[in-house]
Amino acid sequence: MTATRQERIRAILSGCPELQGLEGTQMEVLTRRAGLDHRNPGERLWSQGDPVTEVYIPAGGVVRISVQDSDGGLFTTALVRDCHLIGEAEVFGMLLQRFNEACVLSPQEVVRLPASDFRQCIETSPELTRYWLQTANQRFIMALKHAQLMAQRSAEERLRWLVRLLLGFTPSSPDGTVTLPFSQENLGTMAALTRQATCKVVAEWRSRGLVDTGYQRLDILQVRHFRD
């Protein structure tokens, strides 16, 4: 591995919000053992059922996390941007196979970390262990809740359920409103709705004063309506 490649891996690791608590020696271990790939749109980082051997940090692009149902359809559960770590939930859950799939949506670099090395580094810090166990559990819950969402029938029911789900993981502003950092198109994708159906529901909510919209965001003005 050339020095330039190592420097790039270190920069990506250092920019990962979930790894900010790693000490210098731990960061060096991961830097030495990590791989760095360039991935193109449509390539999978892993497929549902694959063995759990690595965790990943996409850099400079978007990755779609999806779950496959019994009929073979794919439902998007998350869109991960930039340097956030993915694929760690199964590591902490001690699962041998992936319960979802990850597909690259835009050209980007991806750092690959051996699962065993990643877990060993995390477990040397009690603070990070607590943080990652909580985070991994939240992602499992999100996946299970999304399966419940897909059981809803109407577009309004699906989108309302999705908003309710996202509210549990998004902090509120001082005025009590909550901003979901997703475009209407992204929200529709996560709820398995067409763009037209999503826009129709959001427009109706807006006319009732429940939400407001902006660039790449949905402002929830009446939080109680969606939580009740």
Side-chain angles (χ1 to χ4, degrees):
M1 179 181 294
T2 66
T4 301
R5 189 178 179 85
Q6 265 199 332
E7 289 170 0
R8 181 58 184 152
I9 290 174
R10 186 179 292 107
I12 294 173
L13 293 177
S14 299
C16 178
E18 293 86 359
L19 296 181
Q20 294 304 303
L22 285 178
E23 297 179 355
T25 54
Q26 297 169 321
M27 186 66 74
E28 289 305 313
V29 169
L30 291 183
T31 299
R32 290 196 307 270
R33 298 181 181 178
L36 179 65
D37 301 326
H38 179 83
R39 297 300 183 97
N40 296 311
E43 291 187 42
R44 286 182 175 83
L45 297 182
W46 69 79
S47 296
Q48 195 164 321
D50 280 355
V52 180
T53 58
E54 295 177 314
V55 296
Y56 302 82
I57 305 175
V62 181
V63 172
R64 180 184 65 207
I65 308 297
S66 304
V67 176
Q68 188 175 70
D69 65 12
S70 58
D71 296 325
L74 285 176
F75 298 111
T76 300
T77 58
L79 294 173
V80 182
R81 301 177 184 274
D82 300 325
C83 290
H84 287 282
L85 188 91
I86 58 176
E88 86 295 337
E90 295 94 328
V91 175
F92 285 104
M94 297 185 181
L95 298 183
L96 300 180
Q97 294 180 315
R98 297 288 184 187
F99 66 89
N100 54 22
E101 76 164 42
C103 182
V104 172
L105 297 186
S106 56
Q108 59 191 285
E109 295 175 303
V110 177
V111 167
R112 295 178 290 102
L113 300 172
S116 56
D117 292 329
F118 165 74
R119 180 162 182 163
Q120 185 176 5
C121 284
I122 297 299
E123 289 179 344
T124 59
S125 168
E127 180 181 355
L128 280 175
T129 296
R130 285 193 298 271
Y131 168 75
W132 275 109
L133 285 175
Q134 180 184 20
T135 299
N137 285 335
Q138 287 178 346
R139 294 195 184 185
F140 273 122
I141 292 170
M142 286 285 281
L144 292 174
K145 289 292 186 181
H146 192 269
Q148 290 179 309
L149 179 154
M150 300 316 302
Q152 305 301 315
R153 294 184 179 273
S154 74
E156 198 277 339
E157 287 174 336
R158 285 194 177 190
L159 208 56
R160 187 170 184 266
W161 184 273
L162 177 63
V163 169
R164 181 182 180 185
L165 174 60
L166 294 174
L167 285 174
F169 296 87
T170 310
S172 60
S173 302
D175 61 2
T177 63
V178 176
T179 295
L180 303 179
F182 300 101
S183 67
Q184 292 183 51
E185 184 176 1
N186 288 342
L187 289 170
T189 298
M190 286 188 279
L193 296 172
T194 65
R195 182 176 181 179
Q196 291 81 359
T198 303
C199 291
K200 183 177 180 180
V201 172
V202 172
E204 197 272 335
W205 285 350
R206 188 174 182 179
S207 70
R208 294 166 57 191
L210 300 175
V211 304
D212 198 3
T213 56
Y215 179 69
Q216 297 286 324
R217 76 172 197 270
L218 181 69
D219 299 322
I220 309 301
L221 305 181
Q222 301 294 331
V223 175
R224 185 173 180 179
H225 172 79
F226 295 95
R227 284 184 171 158
D228 290 347

